[in-house]
Amino acid sequence: MQRRNFMIRSLSATTAALALGALAPAQSALAADAGWPTTEPIRLIVPFPPGGTADVVNRLFAQQLGKVLGASVIVENKAGAGGSLGTRFVADAKPDGYTLLGATSSTHGTNPAVYTKLPYDAVKDFTPITQVITVPGVLSVHPSVKAANLKELIALAKAQPGHLSYASSGAGGLGHLAMELFKAKAGVQIM
């Protein structure tokens, strides 16, 4: 299942990269007319650790972006605090187009809704450029769990409150909040 999910994510990222590549002639002409980019490399900040979805997608995107613009695009991972550290780094950077952020629903959706004192303003501190990818949410269970569908999973969780547990990327992240919403709507106790 993990391999299939990785392949789906990779296919989605590759599709986005190829779509960007198809725009190459028009984008290169626009960039050249604007005098940007120069020989200075573009930094694409990924506010999460290497190896995850955000990292893989942004590395594929950076590769294609570099080809389209005829510029060096360097990916830098600046992980921590649910993406807030790298996001703040970009918010504080000179707004010259040479420091980009691989923003996510966590950095610009969840974090502003969950944390009262973020070191950046998700709306005022950034200019959106494009959406690179969408990642569907998936709820799956281990084969040993006696539930073949959502209805059976809810029934099992209600029959055994607090017995089932789930994993997410961390407190306050999208996966965690999605499960908290699921638990509230289904009226179940899952750890």
Side-chain angles (χ1 to χ4, degrees), residues 65-147:
L65 182 63
K67 287 179 186 176
V68 168
L69 296 177
S72 296
V73 181
I74 300 166
V75 176
E76 295 181 33
N77 296 83
K78 293 191 180 291
S84 295
L85 295 181
T87 304
R88 179 185 184 171
F89 178 84
V90 176
D92 291 343
K94 183 178 175 184
D96 58 5
Y98 288 95
T99 305
L100 306 177
L101 175 68
T104 67
S105 56
S106 293
T107 61
H108 283 66
T110 308
N111 288 356
V114 172
Y115 301 112
T116 57
K117 293 186 179 182
L118 273 181
Y120 60 89
D121 183 307
V123 176
K124 294 178 184 174
D125 292 342
F126 299 91
T127 301
I129 299 171
T130 189
Q131 180 174 341
V132 176
I133 188 172
T134 59
V135 180
V138 177
L139 177 64
S140 60
V141 298
H142 190 272
S144 66
V145 176
K146 304 296 183 211

Side-chain angles (χ1 to χ4, degrees), residues 24 40 42-43 48 55 70 86 111 117 136 151 157 159:
E40 184 178 343
I42 297 167
R43 298 167 72 189
F48 298 99
D55 182 56
N111 288 356
K117 293 186 179 182
K151 186 176 180 179

Side-chain angles (χ1 to χ4, degrees), residues 6-21 56-57 60-61 63-64 132-133:
F6 177 77
M7 290 178 68
I8 290 170
R9 289 191 313 250
S10 297
L11 178 61
S12 298
T14 303
T15 302
L18 291 174
L20 179 65
V56 171
V57 167
L60 288 169
F61 179 74
Q63 192 175 38
Q64 292 302 314
V132 176
I133 188 172

